[in-house]
Amino acid sequence: MNGIDLILDLSVILAGAAMGGWLCRQLRISVVAGYIAAGILVGPHTAVVALIQDLPRIQMLAQVGLVFLMFSIGLRLSPRKIRRMGLGLILGVVGAFALTYNVTRLLGLLLGYEGPAGVFFASLLVVSSSAIVGKVLFEVGTTHERAGQIAVGVTVIEGLLAVGMLAFLNTYVALGEQAGRPRLGLALGEFGAFVVLASIAGLLTVPWLLRRMGVVAGEELQTLGVAALLLAIAAITYAAGYSLALGALLLGIIVAETPQRFQIERSFEGLRDLFTAVFFVAMGLQIDVALLWEHAAVIIGIAWFTVVTRCGAVTVSLALVGTPPRDAFRAGLTVTPIGEFSFLFAQMGVSAVLVPPSLFPISVGVCLLTSLASSALTRRGGELVTRVAALQPKWLNDWGEYYRDWIERIQAQRSRNLLWQLSKKRIAQVLVGALLVSGLLVFSERLHDACQAWLGRDLLFPNGLRVVFWSILFLVVLAPLVAIWRNLSAMALLYSQVATRGMPRRERIAPVVETGLKILAGGILFLWLISLLPTEGSARWLLVWMAGAALIALIFLRRQLVHWHSELEVELQARVGDEVSVPATDAAPWLRPHGDWNLSVSDCVIPDLADCQGKRIDELALRSRFGCTVVGIERQGHMISLPTPEAVLYPRDKVLLLGTAEQVEAGKQFLTSVSGTTPATAQFDEVRMELVRVPRWSRTIGVSLAELAPTHHHQVQIAGINRRGMRILTPRGDYRVESGDQLLALGTPEHLRSFKDWVDESADEIPPSD
């Protein structure tokens, strides 16, 4: 059996990941380090063990793991979430990205990485691993600290920047020696157009598809459909000339904007953990230990450089945009590890023979060391921050306070700038519309070739496909073009009024300025469209004819085109607008920085067999036992803020605890403890209905159902009463039991047996239950 080899390899990978992860958890370090170490140990380059030998099969598993890992990362890259983070954090992360890139280029020159090799080397260190950072924050328990929230925000924004870096490197590889600035800029423009085109198409189709699948299919079929869609989009992206990871990442970002996000995230939780482990183990499988040992000094040096550079760049950049230095420093300590994107960049460079083969094992070794350093630095972040703050001179602290006040004043002035508030939305719509039109026109030839392969060249009449295709494409492009011109005209009017404010002849000058701005905008639009339209051969005359037809359509269908675009804009705003409510599980927005109060906020997940499952919060007595308090429960994607003492904890609940670090840690250990003595209570499949006859000596005769309270005493529900042939469905509580009644009881076999024995008992022998 050929397939048995794959099964054996997968079993070795998962067993190694489980053992390596368990060992790292016992040592209180990141489990990702255990995954990579396990891959190195059982890989084909380790002569002692070498349980896996087939390198192509390893690479196939790595590709599948990469697709699911990037999809799970995309689920955290919600545009709505990024908007809530604010412009300051975005600018800070972009600044840290640029600073790290340029400093790393200098190190690359010292190590001999010049030209394209220097670009790939610098790309390894500019993006942190969101998978490692997320696991470290959860293991350390600082996910809900302010610094932890900032670190999560940094990884989210760096994930989007990684998409741009992925496109840049992909273009670099495709162009090879012809990667000059003009061609590189054009290729990057094509990539931007492709991303916008794919994103808009996805935002309009994927939510509708998920909504329909949720209505006509169950959760199981919906999971299968999303998995099929994920693999298909990854394959389509690869066919378009880009990485598999890009398609998976884009689909995750689109799904993150849908109401079905939490259901899909829950359905893919097991697959995410499985394929994350598979991906990192597969990276270790491709590493030769001899190469690690040969470049050990270089790996240690680069790892030390990465920790210092990334921590310093993030700390400085965040401080410059107004983040308190203590929080900026702790966030910088957390986001030091590199990971999945660095592996992807290194593999691209090695496959294209633009970098030496040793760069990939170096990147894996640096990831291993930085993940270990991140765990230690995050655990001791508070202590390190206190020590650094003690060394900080008073004048520097005073200057920092003054600078942050100045930043806050600038932000307040910007929010009150009426011109910016009126024009920012229109500028965004113009940019999105321009990229959408660019994507349609740039990829028009590829779309035409695909349609020709499917429908044939002579559709309806000789060479008819080309005419039909370009006619439809021009009609599709007209709506966003009309919207772009309307937005530009409105901004021209707005800017002309502002520019001529206070002038003595404003009524005459303002129209002239407005007309000049419109002529300038029209000229730019004309040059932009001419640069995108194909002009070779017969296409030139076909485009002239199509332009005339489009002009006629614009004259007669202008109102309809405006209506179509308005519907499109409303639909997109419904997907990414602020007014759409989502469950508050990404963060606890009602938490505030607690400074020197020595309080900690951390969460834990109730295991399936936890001793505390099914118990009320007041029964657990967390405050009297440990001093911590339950301040939130996330259940099935719904956030319960400040739950009452009567709230019951169920398996898979995510519980948010508040207290000192020691109190919270003790509470987490108590809530997640599994003694193995808790009886299994999941008897849902055994629930049944059974008739219970009331004998003439029964203690229940003459007693009302409300007084019997079978639900309270025996966990049995009375669904009906058969009284001398008359059936009473769902009887009221004031109905009294009579001799010979047949009670239709609903419950588990054990509870039904207990209830039946109780009904058979004599009233003379046993006093009635109170």
Side-chain angles (χ1 to χ4, degrees):
M1 294 179 63
N2 295 327
I4 196 66
D5 295 331
L6 177 61
I7 295 175
L8 290 174
D9 288 349
L10 194 57
S11 67
V12 171
I13 288 175
L14 296 179
M19 290 186 291
W22 176 82
L23 180 61
C24 288
R25 185 154 291 177
Q26 300 304 309
L27 298 175
R28 300 172 67 85
I29 58 180
S30 173
V31 295
V32 174
Y35 298 159
I36 297 174
I40 295 174
L41 181 62
V42 302
H45 302 289
T46 305
V48 179
V49 183
L51 297 177
I52 299 179
Q53 297 287 344
D54 195 336
L55 190 59
R57 195 157 49 233
I58 295 171
Q59 293 173 343
M60 180 193 69
L61 292 173
Q63 291 294 332
V64 176
L66 177 65
V67 168
F68 280 92
L69 176 61
M70 288 299 165
F71 177 68
S72 65
I73 292 174
L75 288 175
R76 308 187 196 112
L77 303 183
S78 167
R80 186 185 297 110
K81 180 178 179 180
I82 294 175
R83 289 177 61 183
R84 289 201 303 265
M85 292 176 183
L87 181 62
L89 182 60
I90 296 175
L91 293 177
V93 176
V94 172
F97 185 93
L99 182 59
T100 304
Y101 177 82
N102 287 283
V103 174
T104 308
R105 284 296 302 270
L106 296 177
L107 176 64
L109 293 175
L110 295 176
L111 296 177
Y113 295 102
E114 300 179 355
V119 174
F120 277 91
F121 177 76
S123 68
L124 301 182
L125 310 186
V126 294
V127 180
S128 61
S129 170
S130 61
I132 297 178
V133 171
K135 289 182 178 296
V136 168
L137 288 173
F138 178 76
E139 292 165 1
V140 176
T142 56
T143 303
H144 296 278
E145 297 287 334
R146 178 175 172 81
Q149 292 287 303
I150 295 174
V152 171
V154 171
T155 60
V156 168
I157 299 171
E158 283 186 342
L160 292 181
L161 295 176
V163 175
M165 180 59 72
L166 181 63
F168 180 77
L169 296 179
N170 196 90
T171 305
Y172 222 97
V173 170
L175 295 178
E177 297 180 354
Q178 301 177 351
R181 290 186 177 180
R183 291 181 61 86
L184 193 60
L186 178 61
L188 289 176
E190 291 182 0
F191 171 78
F194 172 80
V195 170
V196 172
L197 180 62
S199 300
I200 292 178
L203 285 170
L204 294 176
T205 57
V206 172
W208 174 84
L209 183 62
L210 293 178
R211 189 166 57 248
R212 292 300 304 166
M213 288 197 319
V215 173
V216 302
E219 185 173 342
E220 178 183 359
L221 297 180
Q222 187 180 50
T223 303
L224 294 176
V226 173
L229 184 63
L230 169 62
L231 297 176
I233 290 180
I236 292 172
T237 308
Y238 182 78
Y242 302 107
S243 171
L244 288 169
L246 177 63
L249 199 66
L250 287 178
L251 180 62
I253 294 173
I254 293 170
V255 172
E257 294 300 316
T258 65
Q260 293 82 11
R261 169 201 167 182
F262 300 97
Q263 177 185 347
I264 294 173
E265 198 170 18
R266 186 174 63 253
S267 301
F268 277 81
E269 184 178 4
L271 285 175
R272 179 198 64 199
D273 296 337
L274 173 67
F275 283 105
T276 297
V278 168
F279 174 77
F280 283 106
V281 173
M283 294 297 103
L285 289 171
Q286 302 176 56
I287 301 302
D288 189 348
V289 181
L291 286 177
L292 287 180
W293 182 256
E294 179 182 347
H295 298 88
V298 176
I299 292 173
I300 294 173
I302 295 177
W304 179 86
F305 173 85
T306 302
V307 172
V308 174
T309 302
R310 285 196 53 79
C311 178
V314 171
T315 302
V316 172
S317 299
L318 292 180
L320 288 177
V321 296
T323 305
R326 296 174 64 93
D327 296 328
F329 185 40
R330 290 193 65 182
L333 292 172
T334 303
V335 297
T336 52
I338 63 172
E340 55 276 2
F341 285 108
S342 302
F343 300 157
L344 183 60
F345 298 157
Q347 283 185 327
M348 289 176 60
V350 172
S351 301
V353 199
L354 294 175
V355 297
S358 60
L359 188 62
F360 180 68
I362 288 175
S363 67
V364 175
V366 173
C367 170
L368 193 59
L369 295 180
T370 53
S371 63
L372 296 175
S374 176
S375 297
L377 293 174
T378 304
R379 291 183 187 280
R380 305 188 62 182
E383 179 182 348
L384 293 174
V385 167
T386 302
R387 290 185 179 181
V388 172
L391 299 176
Q392 181 175 305
K394 187 177 183 303
W395 64 267
L396 184 60
N397 185 52
D398 294 340
W399 182 86
E401 292 290 342
Y402 174 79
Y403 178 78
R404 286 193 295 276
D405 291 341
W406 179 66
I407 290 292
E408 291 177 359
R409 289 196 298 270
I410 291 180
Q411 292 174 346
Q413 291 175 0
R414 183 174 61 86
S415 63
R416 292 193 298 265
N417 190 323
L418 184 60
L419 180 62
W420 168 249
Q421 296 298 325
L422 292 175
S423 59
K424 65 178 182 179
K425 185 176 180 180
R426 295 189 179 276
I427 293 174
Q429 291 175 349
V430 168
L431 291 177
V432 172
L435 287 173
L436 174 60
V437 173
S438 299
L440 289 170
L441 296 180
V442 166
F443 291 94
S444 58
E445 288 296 334
R446 299 186 191 181
L447 294 174
H448 174 269
D449 294 341
C451 293
Q452 182 171 311
W454 180 32
L455 300 174
R457 180 178 180 182
D458 300 327
L459 180 68
L460 301 179
F461 52 86
N463 205 24
L465 177 67
R466 195 169 186 85
V467 175
V468 173
F469 175 81
W470 282 103
S471 300
I472 296 175
L473 184 65
F474 267 91
L475 287 177
V476 172
V477 166
L478 272 180
L481 283 178
V482 170
I484 291 173
W485 179 249
R486 291 179 65 207
N487 282 311
L488 291 175
S489 300
M491 286 191 291
L493 174 62
L494 176 64
Y495 294 156
S496 65
Q497 295 295 323
V498 173
T500 58
R501 181 185 301 171
M503 291 185 177
R505 297 182 179 181
R506 180 183 181 184
E507 293 78 7
R508 296 183 178 181
I509 299 176
V512 176
V513 175
E514 179 185 354
T515 303
L517 291 175
K518 288 183 178 180
I519 293 174
L520 177 62
I524 295 175
L525 280 178
F526 177 78
L527 295 175
W528 165 58
L529 291 175
I530 289 298
S531 65
L532 294 176
L533 292 173
T535 57
E536 68 280 357
S538 59
R540 179 186 313 163
W541 303 109
L542 181 63
L543 290 176
V544 172
W545 185 85
M546 288 293 110
L551 182 61
I552 296 174
L554 181 62
I555 295 174
F556 291 100
L557 299 177
R558 184 175 183 275
R559 292 177 179 269
Q560 188 63 34
L561 290 171
V562 172
H563 174 69
W564 289 342
H565 180 268
S566 299
E567 289 187 345
L568 174 65
E569 183 178 344
V570 170
E571 185 71 15
L572 290 176
Q573 286 182 349
R575 303 288 180 232
V576 300
D578 290 332
E579 66 273 9
V580 181
S581 61
V582 294
T585 58
D586 291 325
W590 37 271
L591 292 174
R592 294 292 180 265
H594 41 74
D596 299 326
W597 286 85
N598 193 29
L599 288 178
S600 177
V601 181
S602 185
D603 62 83
C604 64
V605 178
I606 305 297
D608 289 326
L609 300 179
D611 298 336
C612 67
Q613 62 167 315
K615 296 183 179 180
R616 301 194 308 270
I617 294 177
D618 55 358
E619 289 183 87
L620 299 174
L622 293 174
R623 179 174 294 180
S624 59
R625 289 184 179 182
F626 310 108
C628 57
T629 305
V630 176
V631 294
I633 300 174
E634 181 205 321
R635 180 174 298 155
Q636 302 294 323
H638 177 68
M639 182 67 181
I640 305 173
S641 300
L642 303 177
T644 61
E646 293 76 21
V648 180
L649 298 183
Y650 296 102
R652 311 311 299 170
D653 280 355
K654 183 180 288 186
V655 180
L656 200 62
L657 298 175
L658 173 67
T660 65
E662 295 78 10
Q663 294 170 346
V664 168
E665 185 63 27
K668 288 171 61 177
Q669 291 182 2
F670 174 75
L671 292 177
T672 57
S673 61
V674 179
S675 63
T677 59
T678 304
T681 58
Q683 300 176 333
F684 183 85
D685 295 335
E686 301 179 12
V687 173
R688 67 188 187 192
M689 289 189 293
E690 186 175 320
L691 284 175
V692 178
R693 185 177 180 84
V694 180
R696 64 179 183 276
W697 60 81
S698 175
R699 62 187 298 177
T700 62
I701 295 175
V703 184
S704 68
L705 294 180
E707 294 172 336
L708 290 177
T711 303
H712 176 70
H713 293 293
H714 301 281
Q715 289 78 50
V716 169
Q717 175 71 36
I718 303 300
I721 300 176
N722 184 356
R723 180 171 294 167
R724 293 182 294 278
M726 183 179 65
R727 290 176 174 83
I728 306 171
L729 299 179
T730 60
R732 300 193 307 269
D734 57 356
Y735 273 74
R736 296 186 177 275
V737 178
E738 297 181 5
S739 176
D741 283 352
Q742 290 182 329
L743 306 179
L744 184 61
L746 177 70
T748 64
E750 181 181 354
H751 293 150
L752 289 172
R753 190 180 307 112
S754 173
F755 177 68
K756 186 176 181 180
D757 293 341
W758 184 74
V759 171
D760 286 341
E761 291 175 353
S762 171
D764 298 332
E765 299 176 0
I766 302 176
S769 176
D770 50 11

